[in-house]
Amino acid sequence: MQCNVGKTEQVIRITIGSAIVLAGVYYKSWWGLIGLAPIVTGTTRYCPMNAVLGISNCMTNSKS
């Protein structure tokens, strides 16, 4: 898998995903599991939807 999620987007995805999971825990709702998707894509720095759309926010010359 080639990186297609940049550093800033990675932080945003993990933050939003964590907030969704915490809201799910707080409200005791299974909907909080949706937050796992942005956490996983942020952690792996690969998003299948970005790949389908041809979007890449990774810097090609940076060491990641």
Side-chain angles (χ1 to χ4, degrees):
M1 293 184 298
Q2 186 177 359
C3 171
N4 64 7
V5 174
K7 288 284 190 183
T8 305
E9 186 179 357
Q10 177 185 26
V11 171
I12 292 169
R13 285 175 183 261
I14 292 173
T15 303
I16 290 174
S18 298
I20 293 170
V21 169
L22 290 174
V25 170
Y26 180 78
Y27 290 109
K28 298 178 181 148
S29 171
W30 289 101
W31 285 100
L33 291 175
I34 292 173
L36 293 177
I39 291 173
V40 170
T41 58
T43 304
T44 61
R45 296 190 67 195
Y46 176 77
C47 178
M49 187 58 77
N50 281 4
V52 168
L53 297 174
I55 299 170
S56 178
N57 294 320
C58 279
M59 301 297 285
T60 56
N61 295 332
S62 70
K63 296 180 182 177
S64 34

